[in-house]
Amino acid sequence: MTKPARPQSAARSGNRPAGMDPALEAARLHALLAPTVAAADLFLEEVKVHFAGSHRTVSVIVDLADDQQGGVGLDAISAISRELSEAMDADPDDDGSAYDLEISSPGATRPLTEPRHWRRALGRMVKINASDRENFMGRVLAVEDDGVLFLPELPVKKGMKAKQGEPEKVPFAVIRRGVVELEFARLDEAELDLEFEPAANGAVDGEGS
């Protein structure tokens, strides 16, 4: 979604200094847009900003709340795109320059690096990288304040049926990251759609279709 530059008369006080750090602008926009995303019952995962001269590309990633299953549907992406565009147009510290607004949601295989990511992966098969053991596979049974309870999948010879070990809790302190393993039996679920790039009109291709 591309917004053309507004007339100079539309510029407001507190204009963005030339060459502002993209990280600082992203943090400012995160604070500006978070209430709008929350009001839509979504979670603001990330905001990134790229400058090309006076032009900004603002990339926003939204996700479902921790206690919800599935992915963000296209209708929800379309609706939040309009609402975020309106919020940016009403930004009191905006300088009126043109910008591109790209809205998407996390792909199924995004790295699990935060507790909320693990809560969103409840019931899924995950490959885990931890500091106190070799990489292993396990299904997420529960997510607690200090760690994740897994049902480990034991290594077997090729062609043999998978075997499960005993449930084991792994502390967040030793979990470096995890990645959801796509299970073919569940590929009809919306949250397992392949990762996508933002579409030109601000909607997305992939998740929730």
Side-chain angles (χ1 to χ4, degrees):
M1 180 180 294
T2 301
K3 289 286 183 176
R6 295 191 288 276
Q8 284 298 317
S9 60
R12 302 170 175 86
S13 61
N15 290 353
R16 170 177 54 79
M20 174 180 261
D21 185 341
L24 293 178
E25 178 70 349
R28 187 186 74 81
L29 289 176
H30 194 289
L32 174 75
L33 302 177
T36 299
V37 175
D41 199 25
L42 296 172
F43 179 84
L44 182 53
E45 183 80 21
E46 187 175 26
V47 176
K48 290 185 178 181
V49 177
H50 173 73
F51 285 115
S54 62
H55 189 95
R56 287 173 298 170
T57 297
V58 181
S59 300
V60 178
I61 299 177
V62 297
D63 198 5
L64 295 181
D66 294 10
D67 59 352
Q68 297 186 43
Q69 297 295 316
V72 183
L74 292 179
D75 288 345
I77 288 289
S78 180
I80 196 63
S81 294
R82 292 191 296 269
E83 294 169 12
L84 292 181
S85 179
E86 292 172 0
M88 288 192 62
D89 285 346
D91 180 0
D93 294 323
D94 185 61
D95 65 358
S97 59
Y99 66 87
D100 286 326
L101 178 61
E102 300 176 345
I103 314 294
S104 63
S105 62
T109 57
R110 61 104 176 262
L112 310 176
T113 58
E114 300 178 12
R116 73 168 308 273
H117 297 162
W118 290 100
R119 288 191 287 270
R120 293 280 289 118
L122 189 65
R124 306 293 289 276
M125 183 64 70
V126 177
K127 184 175 182 179
I128 302 98
N129 176 271
S131 61
D132 63 344
R133 69 196 71 195
E134 294 184 357
N135 292 351
F136 69 98
M137 298 277 293
R139 192 170 299 280
V140 180
L141 298 180
V143 182
E144 301 176 1
D145 292 341
D146 57 347
V148 181
L149 182 65
F150 295 103
L151 181 64
E153 186 167 283
L154 303 178
V156 295
K157 292 183 179 180
K158 187 175 181 180
M160 295 182 63
K161 185 178 179 180
K163 296 182 179 180
Q164 283 73 45
E166 293 297 320
E168 178 183 3
K169 181 177 178 179
V170 181
F172 282 125
V174 302
I175 297 177
R176 293 194 179 105
R177 58 175 278 175
V179 178
V180 170
E181 292 290 306
L182 300 184
E183 299 176 79
F184 291 107
R186 302 179 65 182
L187 284 177
D188 58 340
E189 297 180 18
E191 74 271 28
L192 290 184
D193 286 346
L194 299 178
E195 291 187 85
F196 48 80
E197 296 295 334
N201 64 356
V204 294
D205 296 323
E207 190 130 345
S209 60

